[in-house]
Amino acid sequence: MLFFKKISTNPDKKVLKKLQPIVNKINELEKKFENFSNEEIRNKTEELKNLLKQGKTLDDILPEAFALVREAAKRTLGQRHYDVQLMGGIVLHQGKIAEMKTGEGKTLAATLPAFLNALNGKGVHIVTVNDYLAKRDTVWMGQIYHFLGLKVGCIQHDQAFIYDPTYIKEKKEEVDLDKERDELGSFKVVEEFLRPVSRKEAYLADITYGTNNEFGFDYLRDNMVYSLEQKVQRGLHYAIIDEVDSILIDEARTPLIISAPAEESTEKYYQFARLVERLKEGEDYNIDEKMRTATLTEEGIAKIEKWLGIENIYTQGGVGLVHHLEQALRAKALFKKDRDYVVKDGEVIIVDEFTGRLMFGRRYSEGLHQAIEAKEGVKIKRESITLATISFQNYFRMYKKIAGMTGTAATSAEEFFKVYNLEVVVIPTNKPLIRKSLPDRIYRTERGKFKAVVEEIKRLHKIGRPVLVGTISIEKNELLGEMLAREGIPFNLLNAKNHQKEAEIIAQAGRLGAVTIATNMAGRGVDIILGGNPPDPEEQKKVKELGGLHVIGTERHEARRIDNQLRGRAGRQGDPGSSQFYVSLEDDLMRVFGSEKIKRLMEVLKIPEDTPIENKMVSRALDSAQAKVEGYNFDLRKHLLEYDDVMNKQRQVIYQKRNEILEADYKEKNHLTPDKTNKERILEMVGNQIKRIVKFHFRAEDKSEENLKKVYEAVEKIFPLSEELKLDLSTLKNKVKVQEKNLSNEDYIISYLDDLAKEFYQKLEEEIKNPDLMREIEKSILLQAIDNLWIEHLEAMEMLKEGIGLRGYGQRDPLVEYKRESLRMFNQLLEAIEAQVSSAIYKIGVAKEIAPRAIDKDKLEFVAPAKTMEKKKGPVFAPTSPSDSYGKKVDKAVLQANDGIPVKFRYKDGRKISRNDPCPCGSGKKYKDCCYPKYGR
């Protein structure tokens, strides 16, 4: 019996039991630090830093560091960390996930491990779900860090800040923060405490706040720069991720992408949008809602072919037409307005399925967004090509240590551990949780369910109890709003269309008689205080007497975590509250994943649509449906990660090569000795290319002289060979000085050509005359060869991933095939980079005239267009400006400016280059026949 009792023991209790002695130590230090002056507190920070330098570990100084932060919080914010917050902080420091319920002070708890880990000087990143929270927390928690002598930075979409209390625009001598809060509890002077700085300076702060998107994009941008000084991040050491389940699970399938415009094909999208609109579901195409796919039937294909006037779209139309057809069908059948997207100001804007917020700037990939734009009749924006991409899964796994906090992690503990090696620890609440979770009310039809919801809202509103109603989509959100309006019930509507008022609406959702209808966006980062914000004591008392905030969920979400987030809006910090979900058998979850037996049972019983069903079998089916979807989505994310891991290894190799090139350039400029110079790197590539050429051509011994001619022909594409240098094999052997004996013919030829390559390189340097310029050219050619071919490789890998599934029909594992094919392609990429560098470096006679730092001597000048905008895929971001030089061959790549921004040409007096002028790249062709298609438009 004792054995079974041990097995069933809650593992969280064991963890918390181990933490209690540490918490006791922190509490023992509290009185000691209370007697410290402010200056002594700051001096203590320096003392802790010195202890680390002397060999102490972070765990050794944890009690003192935590006690110090608690004292600083008391003196600056008037808030004291509870013991459970100390426990949460220790769990975060240990690189685990702390599940802390809503209102338990996760933001304050995070200051403890952030301060401790910032003491080693390597930087801490605190990741929030939106820019508003990043800015708010920088100012709010920045007071603690600043008091302790640490710098706090903040990264926003288009700017960066350092928390600086002395930076006050209105030059107030002192600012009382409590008096400077507005009616929402936010700081009126928030901007006045944030001094604008460069992104690099914000990252150099001890602690940096920002969103997951911004951290990820800065990483990608750092791996596209053309000098080490342009990098902004200084390493990925420790990250604390707020709402960790949202970022690491809900957004795991959403890679970050930096993209540039591709060619336009607008009319095809409109044409196919018109055609698929004429197709009928069930007759011309079928929908699989579980798999989110739409497929044409034979009849549907025949109709399309007839309307297009072709016999076979797959042979006559080619990949292009089939692609347009498939995306048009997906746009029509699977993507719904006001659920998946909204149309605002002539633009199609994606709605985040997890938060309900509008995702400005994001675009669906592979032409799907254009297909939706055509369907809605708005202007179509150009497609994009991928320049750089990474998934959140792989980005955050690059940190040496990550931790997370959320109110809902336990239900996804398995995924956190398997994917990120993160344990979940449930932290107890400071006060007992007295919120009531009422059983689900299940209705036969959706209409009956909404009628019942309206009646319940009427009843609660009549007695003055505040109600928060959560809906899954904007469409249902507005439908419920219309029904309440007809009943004459005043309410606040919150969805992605009026998200600007979010803070104001949510802040007052706990007032007496308040009715708030919100999409999932109300679920995260929000505290609803009973009696309003700031609360009215008398009103707060009445609301508590009535039972506190009542939360109504109008539909179960696919993930239990999202439901629990909604429930968590009520009952914060021991307040009363309750929650209940209203479900119908017509809801998407039950319709797609529910039991057919239940549907048949309801039809047989003929239960009225507005009568709730109290049936355990139905409740179990609902739980089972959610578990099925969670399991399915986990498998899907895991499957995608297996593919992305292959790409990630290749990305790391390429980015490492770029970093080595930049570091070598930086060291040489600063008179330091790199492990390998870029010149050595290029000569090594040239040597490898020569070796490949010789090994390829020089095989048959009986035709050695004939093969040697072929070798010379191939090598001439790298550097020029005069007839005198094209020696026969015997003469060549006599010329080559080697110490080894018994060398093969290939070895002699390789050695001879290697020596020639080095001689020509020496002559080239003498011709350039400017060593600094030569180093700049070397770096530029290396980086652009890597960048251009990497972009092409990304596209090829995407196409491989899309088609690899078909190998399953041949009884072969698609993942194994993908790994094998991608390895082959990656080896080809590395060889192609060496080949392009080899062929480019000896052809810089023209390049030296227009290379960076020497362009003022020429008649031409560079004109850099705006940088391409970062995008996000799956949804994927769209480009906003051309990136002209991407995709150019490397011998033309010198037309790219020193900072990596694509360029165009014009004469210095302002005249454009005529299409019939000689091309400035030095090819000898007319401009219109050479670089004009890329640079002239």
Side-chain angles (χ1 to χ4, degrees):
M1 184 70 185
L2 184 62
F3 173 75
F4 288 110
K5 188 175 181 181
K6 283 183 179 179
I7 288 179
S8 62
T9 301
N10 185 342
D12 289 324
K13 286 185 179 178
K14 289 184 178 180
V15 174
L16 298 173
K17 192 174 181 182
K18 288 181 181 178
L19 300 183
Q20 193 58 52
I22 305 173
V23 172
N24 293 340
K25 282 185 186 177
I26 299 166
N27 288 335
E28 286 169 12
L29 290 165
E30 186 171 12
K31 287 186 179 178
K32 174 185 173 182
F33 286 152
E34 280 177 345
N35 296 322
F36 276 31
S37 67
N38 290 353
E39 190 177 349
E40 285 175 317
I41 291 280
R42 277 188 279 274
N43 290 340
K44 191 67 181 175
T45 298
E46 292 305 313
E47 184 185 318
L48 293 176
K49 286 181 180 180
N50 290 330
L51 287 173
L52 289 175
K53 289 174 185 175
Q54 292 165 18
K56 293 281 187 181
T57 66
L58 291 175
D59 289 337
D60 293 335
I61 64 168
L62 186 149
E64 283 189 291
F66 277 34
L68 205 60
V69 175
R70 176 191 262 178
E71 184 59 31
K74 284 156 62 177
R75 297 189 188 191
T76 55
L77 303 180
Q79 296 179 348
R80 177 184 178 275
H81 293 78
Y82 303 127
D83 283 4
V84 289
Q85 287 173 311
L86 297 179
M87 286 182 176
I90 298 167
V91 167
L92 291 173
H93 163 67
Q94 291 173 344
K96 298 175 183 177
I97 291 173
E99 181 181 290
M100 299 175 70
K101 301 301 179 192
T102 302
E104 291 298 306
K106 293 188 288 291
T107 306
L108 188 62
T111 58
L112 300 161
F115 172 76
L116 173 63
N117 284 267
L119 293 173
N120 60 23
K122 292 180 180 177
V124 174
H125 294 170
I126 301 184
V127 187
T128 64
V129 290
N130 60 51
D131 279 344
Y132 166 75
L133 290 175
K135 196 180 275 189
R136 183 202 72 178
D137 293 352
T138 302
V139 172
W140 189 11
M141 299 298 120
Q143 298 168 75
I144 297 173
Y145 303 126
H146 186 268
F147 184 80
L148 291 167
L150 296 187
K151 274 190 175 183
V152 190
C154 177
I155 301 292
Q156 298 282 286
H157 175 61
D158 53 356
Q159 54 193 334
F161 303 96
I162 287 285
Y163 173 77
D164 182 358
T166 64
Y167 181 76
I168 297 178
K169 293 172 188 174
E170 295 177 10
K171 296 183 178 177
K172 301 175 182 176
E173 290 183 9
E174 284 187 26
V175 176
D176 185 335
L177 283 175
D178 289 327
K179 291 179 182 176
E180 291 292 346
R181 294 177 195 270
D182 59 20
E183 66 277 8
L184 310 182
S186 302
F187 297 114
K188 295 177 193 172
V189 292
V190 63
E191 297 290 346
E192 296 175 356
F193 288 99
L194 296 175
R195 175 165 51 85
V197 294
S198 67
R199 287 179 99 78
K200 190 166 189 172
E201 189 176 339
Y203 276 113
L204 285 172
D206 299 292
I207 296 160
T208 306
Y209 283 85
T211 66
N212 49 323
N213 290 346
E214 294 309 311
F215 285 123
F217 278 136
D218 283 336
Y219 169 77
L220 290 178
R221 281 192 292 263
D222 275 358
N223 286 286
M224 294 175 73
V225 299
Y226 271 63
S227 71
L228 214 54
E229 293 87 345
Q230 290 174 324
K231 286 196 167 194
V232 295
Q233 289 185 346
R234 56 169 171 152
L236 306 176
H237 296 284
Y238 177 48
I240 301 172
I241 306 170
D242 194 10
E243 305 299 354
V244 65
D245 53 329
S246 174
I247 291 170
L248 294 189
I249 293 182
D250 295 341
E251 295 203 46
R253 285 184 287 165
T254 308
L256 292 167
I257 287 199
I258 292 179
S259 59
E263 295 177 10
E264 296 189 53
S265 51
T266 305
E267 187 48 46
K268 292 288 181 190
Y269 287 108
Y270 288 124
Q271 180 187 11
F272 278 94
R274 291 191 295 267
L275 292 179
V276 298
E277 196 56 43
R278 297 161 67 181
L279 299 177
K280 297 176 182 176
E281 184 185 348
E283 180 182 322
D284 301 318
Y285 64 91
N286 295 313
I287 298 175
D288 184 335
E289 291 191 80
K290 287 185 184 180
M291 299 296 293
R292 294 256 317 159
T293 58
T295 52
L296 285 164
T297 62
E298 292 291 334
E299 292 83 357
I301 293 169
K303 283 183 181 178
I304 293 291
E305 288 171 342
K306 181 183 176 184
W307 294 334
L308 290 174
I310 58 178
E311 289 184 16
N312 189 324
I313 190 171
Y314 295 96
T315 57
Q316 291 174 261
V319 177
L321 283 186
V322 173
H323 169 77
H324 282 296
L325 173 58
E326 289 175 347
Q327 298 298 49
L329 184 62
R330 287 182 69 200
K332 168 187 166 61
L334 302 175
F335 289 82
K336 306 296 181 189
K337 185 178 177 181
D338 286 343
R339 184 190 72 183
D340 302 297
Y341 63 89
V342 298
V343 178
K344 189 174 183 181
D345 300 327
E347 283 188 68
V348 171
I349 303 168
I350 296 169
V351 175
D352 190 307
E353 63 175 309
F354 300 106
T355 65
R357 288 182 169 87
L358 292 184
M359 309 306 286
F360 291 97
R362 286 199 200 175
R363 290 177 69 79
Y364 293 114
S365 60
E366 297 157 15
L368 175 59
H369 208 96
Q370 287 81 359
I372 295 172
E373 286 169 331
K375 166 189 165 185
E376 295 296 339
V378 300
K379 185 179 178 182
I380 294 176
K381 293 185 178 178
R382 292 166 68 182
E383 291 186 58
S384 59
I385 55 171
T386 300
L387 305 182
T389 175
I390 194 169
S391 67
F392 284 126
Q393 288 169 315
N394 275 317
Y395 172 70
F396 283 109
R397 290 196 303 177
M398 286 192 295
Y399 279 85
K400 289 177 183 172
K401 180 169 77 172
I402 59 172
M405 49 189 185
T406 179
T408 50
T411 54
S412 298
E414 180 189 3
E415 183 167 354
F416 281 123
F417 187 74
K418 285 184 176 178
V419 176
Y420 303 99
N421 198 30
L422 284 170
E423 293 179 41
V424 175
V425 179
V426 179
I427 306 296
T429 55
N430 184 47
K431 295 179 181 177
L433 185 66
I434 60 173
R435 183 187 69 236
K436 296 176 183 175
S437 294
L438 303 172
D440 295 344
R441 304 190 75 175
I442 302 155
Y443 296 81
R444 186 163 61 85
T445 66
E446 187 177 67
R447 188 174 66 172
K449 174 186 74 175
F450 277 117
K451 280 184 182 176
V453 168
V454 171
E455 287 303 313
E456 179 68 359
I457 292 170
K458 276 175 71 176
R459 183 183 72 79
L460 294 170
H461 178 66
K462 193 172 182 180
I463 62 172
R465 189 175 177 188
V467 183
L468 174 67
V469 187
T471 62
I472 286 221
S473 67
I474 297 171
E475 182 185 18
K476 303 286 172 63
N477 181 274
E478 293 178 340
L479 170 67
L480 189 58
E482 289 172 9
M483 292 176 74
L484 287 175
R486 285 198 294 269
E487 295 290 332
I489 300 170
F491 63 91
N492 284 314
L493 192 70
L494 177 59
N495 59 40
K497 290 182 177 179
N498 63 340
H499 66 97
Q500 294 91 344
K501 297 180 180 179
E502 177 181 354
E504 184 180 348
I505 292 171
I506 286 298
Q508 307 308 329
R511 296 195 78 91
L512 204 64
V515 176
T516 309
I517 308 170
T519 50
N520 290 333
M521 65 196 305
R524 293 191 181 273
V526 175
D527 268 358
I528 298 174
I529 300 171
L530 300 185
N533 189 359
D536 177 283
E538 287 186 20
E539 192 172 330
Q540 192 172 51
K541 185 181 175 184
K542 286 181 184 176
V543 171
K544 286 183 177 181
E545 287 171 356
L546 291 168
L549 179 70
H550 181 61
V551 173
I552 295 176
T554 59
E555 199 168 328
R556 284 281 201 104
H557 197 274
E558 286 183 354
R560 287 169 289 177
R561 290 179 296 101
I562 311 297
D563 293 343
N564 292 338
Q565 279 285 344
L566 185 61
R567 283 193 180 102
R569 298 307 99 205
R572 62 180 293 284
Q573 280 293 326
D575 284 341
S578 57
S579 66
Q580 187 165 38
F581 277 81
Y582 285 63
V583 182
S584 86
L585 298 181
E586 292 178 349
D587 292 348
D588 289 344
L589 186 69
M590 287 298 287
R591 186 169 48 78
V592 178
F593 293 93
S595 168
E596 289 295 326
K597 290 181 183 177
I598 294 170
K599 294 174 186 176
R600 287 198 294 270
L601 175 68
M602 304 327 313
E603 289 168 3
V604 170
L605 294 176
K606 295 182 180 178
I607 295 173
E609 65 177 13
D610 56 352
T611 301
I613 304 159
E614 299 291 341
N615 190 300
K616 289 182 181 178
M617 183 173 146
V618 179
S619 297
R620 279 198 303 268
L622 193 59
D623 293 336
S624 173
Q626 278 187 310
K628 278 182 194 174
V629 182
E630 285 176 5
Y632 170 76
N633 286 335
F634 175 28
D635 290 341
L636 188 60
R637 286 190 291 268
K638 191 179 174 189
H639 179 68
L640 288 173
L641 182 61
E642 288 173 334
Y643 280 87
D644 195 46
D645 279 344
V646 177
M647 191 73 228
N648 194 50
K649 286 172 185 171
Q650 297 181 3
R651 182 191 299 111
Q652 287 173 349
V653 171
I654 292 295
Y655 286 177
Q656 179 62 29
K657 285 183 180 293
R658 281 188 109 264
N659 283 334
E660 287 169 358
I661 293 163
L662 294 174
E663 284 170 12
D665 175 65
Y666 176 80
K667 286 182 177 179
E668 284 191 277
K669 284 178 181 175
N670 290 278
H671 309 293
L672 302 169
T673 306
D675 297 331
K676 185 191 288 184
T677 65
N678 287 332
K679 175 183 175 179
E680 291 170 337
R681 196 169 272 111
I682 288 177
L683 286 173
E684 185 181 301
M685 289 182 174
V686 172
N688 290 339
Q689 185 65 5
I690 288 171
K691 194 180 292 184
R692 271 192 289 272
I693 290 170
V694 173
K695 294 289 184 186
F696 180 79
H697 288 289
F698 206 84
R699 293 172 182 169
E701 289 294 328
D702 59 331
K703 295 181 182 178
S704 57
E705 293 297 341
E706 187 179 327
N707 288 340
L708 188 54
K709 288 179 183 177
K710 291 178 181 176
V711 168
Y712 287 143
E713 286 175 12
V715 170
E716 276 191 302
K717 293 176 182 175
I718 301 176
F719 51 80
L721 283 173
S722 62
E723 289 303 318
E724 305 90 70
L725 293 173
K726 296 178 182 178
L727 305 179
D728 58 48
L729 193 55
S730 58
T731 311
L732 181 152
K733 283 186 175 183
N734 291 327
K735 190 174 176 66
V736 174
K737 294 178 182 178
V738 291
Q739 293 179 347
E740 292 182 49
K741 294 182 179 180
N742 302 319
L743 292 179
S744 66
N745 289 342
E746 292 97 316
D747 293 328
Y748 277 105
I749 296 165
I750 290 167
S751 181
Y752 172 64
L753 293 172
D754 261 344
D755 289 342
L756 282 180
K758 288 168 185 172
E759 284 177 29
F760 276 111
Y761 205 93
Q762 187 62 35
K763 288 177 183 175
L764 185 65
E765 287 194 275
E766 291 169 5
E767 188 183 338
I768 295 292
K769 296 178 182 176
N770 184 339
D772 291 339
L773 179 58
M774 189 64 194
R775 302 291 83 83
E776 195 70 31
I777 290 170
E778 287 167 349
K779 180 188 72 170
S780 181
I781 283 178
L782 282 166
L783 291 177
Q784 291 179 43
I786 290 172
D787 291 349
N788 294 337
L789 289 167
W790 176 243
I791 290 161
E792 292 176 15
H793 181 71
L794 288 176
E795 189 176 352
M797 288 288 286
E798 190 64 34
M799 291 173 70
L800 173 66
K801 189 160 67 174
E802 285 176 16
I804 204 74
L806 297 173
R807 307 244 177 135
Y809 292 109
Q811 303 302 308
R812 287 182 287 178
D813 185 341
L815 180 59
V816 173
E817 291 293 302
Y818 179 74
K819 287 179 179 178
R820 186 174 62 80
E821 285 290 323
S822 63
L823 179 61
R824 180 185 62 79
M825 290 166 63
F826 188 63
N827 287 332
Q828 287 178 345
L829 167 68
L830 297 179
E831 288 181 11
I833 290 169
E834 290 189 342
Q836 283 209 1
V837 170
S838 302
S839 66
I841 192 64
Y842 293 96
K843 299 180 178 68
I844 57 174
V846 175
K848 67 177 181 178
E849 298 297 328
I850 58 172
R853 302 190 182 183
I855 54 175
D856 57 332
K857 297 176 183 178
D858 202 281
K859 293 180 181 178
L860 300 164
E861 66 176 344
F862 291 105
V863 184
K867 290 184 180 179
T868 49
M869 215 177 139
E870 303 80 31
K871 311 297 170 193
K872 201 170 178 186
K873 182 178 179 180
V876 65
F877 286 138
T880 57
S881 63
S883 182
D884 307 85
S885 67
Y886 288 111
K888 268 279 183 191
K889 299 302 179 191
V890 104
D891 56 350
K892 302 282 181 63
V894 289
L895 301 180
Q896 186 151 327
N898 186 30
D899 61 358
I901 306 173
V903 302
K904 293 184 179 182
F905 277 119
R906 71 180 178 207
Y907 288 110
K908 283 193 170 179
D909 59 9
R911 289 180 297 119
K912 289 184 179 179
I913 299 173
S914 168
R915 295 171 76 251
N916 291 312
D917 283 350
C919 187
C921 77
S923 65
K925 297 179 183 179
K926 289 184 177 181
Y927 188 39
K928 67 180 179 182
D929 298 324
C930 190
C931 293
Y932 174 75
K934 284 283 182 183
Y935 296 93
R937 292 176 181 174

